[in-house]
């Protein structure tokens, strides 16, 4: 076992030290959770919901303390720590407690046709222990939501937070302990990628992984090799399309928020803007003014909009991509690296680029910084074509006053989520499914679909004790004729039905009698 120090990216101050797990100890940690989980899994969803409701009440009381911790350890402005991290998880707990029992309730299956008379239900059984592997960019809301959903479905959880945000990871566990969930039901294993890998390779029944595409592929392959499921929430390159009829003021404000919040370190942040030529000048003037208005500084200050980058390495990746675009002909309209007095952290002022082309790396690779490359297009069709020309497919937005047009575009945009006149907010609305297509991932978190990802769907059927199915032995000609007649009756048109009743009615009656009388034995 080793240790891991946590640092404040704004001040460089050391915030604390945690013990790291050894990859060789991960299986034992999973076994310990598995020993506690059955008790939890046997509670009714409504009872589990009571714990989550309690967790919500406690977290509402702890809101300020948790938000300060998120800002201290990850660097996002304190306003965003409230609006984008902690408050949505209180809402999530409430939603799970309110709606979870109904979503997880056993469902009657509608039987019919050949199976008329049978009874069947689908029930949703806990998987056992679920592994959650989290990134550093939303170190509270992403893993918290996944842990809460896994618990609601009756599972135990082992969480591996990012090594950049270990204290936040442990604080998630404490939230559930404070709410009284059984000791040991949620465990946090600290450490780097080797601990994450050991968790994937352990006996956890499913992995919720959020992180980069490259690691996501490795996690998905490792899960497949062990016949276990994985929900993969990976990178994004979200386009925003500003239509000729957009409300430009609103589009500017919304895209500035979605591109620059969390210093652009958001998987579903706007990373490409396609603006129709008719309104391009107005949009560019507006977005530049909006970018220049945002205060870069101390993230603990309520008026700060842009905090430090999570690390110097992250800032260097962003600067490299911007420099590459400029070297290839793009123009920086505003923004770039800045010094913040009293802060040794790496800061990048909101950056707008114009003259960008689709071949540039900045339009293909994830930026993960406060940078908006703007491309002027002839019309909305060109915008959609370029938007879809990407290996990513997480989110996309359309900015228009014409709802029908927005809906039409939303259907053809290749993304897991499309917002009209908004962007990305639904991560905070846990009732909405979250997830991408293409390289942006597999499966869904949040919503009823996320809850069902945490459950094994079991089919249970019932027959009266003395009933027999007509397809059981013995096989004979009567059975053959009856099957043909049934198919004609059930699936044929009017003419075949008449023929069936004329030619095969007798066989049907004999076969029917056999199911009641026990096959003539
Ligand atoms: P990484 O893929 O580097 O890491 C994610 C997590 O996986 C970390 O906890 C990391 O540990 C761990 N890890 C690293 N290697 C392995 C491995 N071989 N097996 C298992 N776990 C491993 O991503 P980042 O932390 O840099 O997160 C940023 C990425 O996450 C971006 O691409 C972003 O787009 C994406 N993301 C996607 C979201 C979505 O909803 N689709 C939401 C948020 C982010 P450690 O880093 O501690 O060593």
């Amino acid at each position: 076992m080793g240790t891991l120090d946590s640092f404040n990216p704004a001040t460089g101050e050391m915030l604390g030290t945690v013990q790291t797990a050894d990859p060789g100890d991960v299986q034992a940690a999973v076994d310990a959770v598995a020993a506690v989980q059955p008790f939890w899994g046997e509670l009714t969803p409504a009872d589990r919901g009571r714990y989550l409701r309690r967790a919500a009440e406690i977290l509402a009381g702890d809101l300020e303390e948790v938000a300060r911790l998120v800002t201290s350890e990850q660097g996002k402005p304190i306003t965003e720590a409230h609006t984008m991290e902690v408050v949505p998880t209180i809402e999530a707990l409430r939603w799970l407690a309110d709606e979870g029992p109904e979503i997880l309730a056993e469902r009657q299956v509608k039987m019919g046709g050949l199976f008329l008379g049978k009874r069947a239900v689908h029930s949703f059984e806990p998987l056992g222990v679920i592994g959650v592997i989290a990134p550093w960019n939303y170190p509270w809301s992403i893993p918290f939501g996944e842990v809460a959903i896994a618990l609601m479905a009756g599972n135990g959880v082992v969480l591996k937070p990012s090594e950049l945000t270990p204290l936040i990871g442990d604080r998630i566990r404490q939230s559930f302990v404070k709410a009284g969930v059984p000791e040991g039901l949620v465990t946090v294993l600290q450490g780097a990628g080797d601990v994450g890998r050991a968790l994937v390779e352990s006996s956890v029944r499913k992995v919720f992984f959020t992180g980069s595409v490259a690691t996501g592929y490795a996690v998905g392959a490792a899960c497949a090799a062990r016949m276990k499921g994985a929900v993969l929430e990976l990178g994004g390159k979200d386009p925003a399309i500003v239509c000729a009829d957009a409300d430009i003021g609103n589009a500017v404000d919304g895209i500035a928020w979605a591109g620059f919040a969390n210093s652009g370190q958001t998987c579903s942040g706007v990373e490409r803007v396609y603006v129709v030529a008719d309104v391009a000048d107005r949009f560019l003037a507006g977005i530049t003014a909006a970018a220049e208005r945002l205060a870069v500084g101390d993230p603990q200050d309520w008026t700060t909009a842009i905090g430090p980058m999570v690390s110097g390495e992250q800032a260097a990746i962003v600067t490299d991509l911007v420099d590459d675009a400029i070297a290839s002909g793009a123009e920086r309209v505003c923004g770039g690296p800045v010094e913040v007095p009293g802060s040794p952290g790496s800061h990048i002022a909101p950056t707008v680029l114009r003259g960008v082309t689709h071949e540039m790396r900045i339009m293909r690779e994830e930026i993960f910084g406060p940078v908006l490359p703007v491309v002027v297009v002839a019309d909305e069709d060109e915008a959609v074509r370029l938007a879809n020309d990407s290996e990513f497919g997480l989110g996309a937005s359309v900015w228009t006053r014409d709802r029908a047009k927005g809906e039409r575009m939303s259907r053809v945009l290749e993304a897991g989520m499309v917002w009209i006149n908004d962007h990305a907010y639904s991560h905070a609305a846990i009732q909405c499914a979250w997830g991408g297509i293409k390289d942006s991932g597999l499966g869904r978190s949040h919503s009823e679909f996320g809850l069902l990802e945490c459950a094994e769907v079991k089919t249970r059927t019932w027959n009266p004790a003395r009933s027999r199915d007509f397809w059981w032995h013995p096989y004979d000609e009567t059975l053959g004729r009856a099957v043909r007649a049934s198919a004609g009756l059930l699936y044929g048109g009017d003419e075949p039905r008449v023929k069936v009743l004329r030619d095969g009615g007798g066989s049907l009656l004999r076969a029917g009698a056999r199911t009641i009388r026990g096959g003539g034995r």
Side-chain angles (χ1 to χ4, degrees):
M1 236 188 235
T3 58
L4 177 64
D5 297 333
S6 162
F7 294 94
N8 180 324
T11 64
E13 169 202 3
M14 193 169 109
L15 297 171
T17 301
V18 296
Q19 297 230 303
T20 53
D22 189 282
D25 298 336
V26 169
Q27 183 56 55
V30 173
D31 290 343
V33 176
V36 181
Q37 182 273 331
F39 160 76
W40 180 253
E42 278 166 21
L43 295 180
T44 64
D47 282 341
R48 296 196 291 262
R50 283 187 192 97
Y51 286 89
L52 297 197
R53 204 181 298 282
R54 177 97 188 103
E57 285 163 11
I58 293 171
L59 190 51
D62 292 347
L63 175 60
E64 175 74 10
E65 169 239 318
V66 175
R68 292 276 166 205
L69 171 66
V70 169
T71 292
S72 300
E73 197 176 37
Q74 192 265 346
K76 64 169 49 73
I78 188 69
T79 308
E80 292 173 3
H82 282 78
T83 58
M84 301 174 86
E85 293 265 29
V86 191
V87 172
T89 54
I90 302 173
E91 171 93 7
L93 289 166
R94 291 297 299 255
W95 181 81
L96 284 167
D98 289 347
E99 305 299 327
E102 199 178 321
I103 294 168
L104 294 167
E106 197 165 275
R107 297 179 196 175
Q108 195 83 36
V109 183
K110 210 166 159 184
M111 303 298 276
L114 277 184
F115 309 105
L116 198 70
K118 301 243 177 228
R119 294 283 175 273
V121 292
H122 287 149
S123 60
F124 304 103
E125 316 291 331
L127 292 176
V129 183
I130 287 182
V132 174
I133 301 178
W136 48 264
N137 62 338
Y138 286 86
W140 179 269
S141 61
I142 290 175
F144 194 104
E146 288 167 355
V147 173
I149 280 193
L151 290 178
M152 185 65 213
N155 303 285
V157 183
V158 178
L159 164 64
K160 205 301 271 177
S162 164
E163 59 185 326
L164 293 178
T165 52
L167 301 183
I168 297 170
D170 197 53
R171 186 63 184 76
I172 290 173
R173 183 189 63 81
Q174 287 170 28
S175 298
F176 291 102
V177 170
K178 280 175 115 176
V181 305
E183 189 72 31
L185 186 68
V186 179
T187 286
V188 175
L189 295 180
Q190 304 282 6
D194 54 351
V195 176
R197 191 179 309 115
L199 185 57
V200 171
E201 291 171 359
S202 74
S203 60
V204 290
R205 289 307 309 140
K206 192 163 213 166
V207 175
F208 276 73
F209 170 83
T210 309
S212 60
V213 174
T215 315
Y217 268 94
V219 168
C223 285
R226 289 163 180 80
M227 199 56 85
K228 65 172 86 169
V231 172
L232 305 172
E233 302 284 4
L234 312 179
K237 188 80 198 158
D238 284 13
I241 298 177
V242 183
C243 300
D245 69 333
D247 179 318
I248 295 298
N250 200 50
V252 161
D253 290 348
I255 291 172
W257 176 78
F260 299 140
N262 198 25
S263 288
Q265 301 166 124
T266 303
C267 53
S268 57
V270 172
E271 294 202 9
R272 297 179 285 156
V273 182
Y274 299 103
V275 55
V276 172
D278 299 356
V279 291
D281 289 346
R282 276 173 61 211
F283 177 80
L284 266 160
I287 198 79
T288 306
E292 287 173 335
R293 265 198 308 273
L294 297 179
V296 182
D298 176 5
Q300 298 286 357
D301 185 327
W302 283 103
T303 62
T304 295
I306 308 286
M309 300 295 289
V310 75
S311 65
E313 292 77 38
Q314 196 58 38
I317 295 171
V318 176
T319 308
D320 175 55
L321 273 176
V322 171
D323 290 348
D324 177 79
I326 292 170
S328 311
E331 176 196 344
R332 188 202 309 264
V333 186
C334 65
V338 284
E339 300 285 323
V340 168
S343 170
S346 304
H347 295 81
I348 298 178
T351 305
V352 176
L353 299 176
R354 66 186 301 172
V356 179
T357 65
H358 238 237
E359 293 65 45
M360 294 178 187
R361 279 176 54 212
I362 203 150
M363 292 300 279
R364 310 232 145 244
E365 299 174 21
E366 225 182 348
I367 307 176
F368 245 53
V371 181
L372 283 178
V374 180
V375 176
V376 180
V377 290
D379 53 26
E380 281 103 11
D381 287 346
E382 186 186 4
V384 169
R385 188 173 54 73
L386 293 175
N388 287 344
D389 179 21
S390 172
E391 285 167 10
F392 294 102
L394 189 55
S397 58
V398 180
W399 300 79
T400 175
R401 284 192 171 93
D402 180 343
R403 181 165 173 189
K405 180 168 77 178
E407 298 277 356
R408 274 197 309 278
M409 291 170 70
S410 72
R411 277 192 283 273
V412 292
L413 279 164
E414 295 168 3
M417 299 159 293
V418 182
W419 305 277
I420 301 173
N421 297 322
D422 212 325
H423 200 101
Y425 81 93
S426 58
H427 191 264
I430 198 173
Q431 51 273 68
C432 295
W434 185 265
I437 61 172
K438 301 183 182 173
D439 268 358
S440 289
L442 199 62
R444 291 294 178 266
S445 57
H446 295 189
S447 78
E448 63 182 299
F449 305 106
L451 255 174
L452 298 183
E453 291 274 9
C454 297
E456 204 73 78
V457 180
K458 185 181 269 186
T459 303
R460 301 193 340 257
T461 81
W462 179 85
N463 264 6
R466 293 200 62 230
S467 67
R468 287 179 50 80
D469 289 327
F470 69 80
W471 53 81
W472 291 357
H473 299 124
Y475 298 160
D476 57 21
E477 206 180 331
T478 304
L479 174 60
R481 283 177 192 277
V483 171
R484 281 209 300 268
S486 311
L489 269 182
L490 288 168
Y491 317 120
D494 287 345
E495 226 173 276
R497 278 200 185 111
V498 172
K499 189 170 173 335
V500 162
L501 288 173
R502 200 180 55 229
D503 303 344
S507 321
L508 263 180
L509 284 175
R510 281 192 294 282
R514 207 162 85 171
T515 65
I516 298 162
R517 279 192 271 111
R521 273 175 299 175

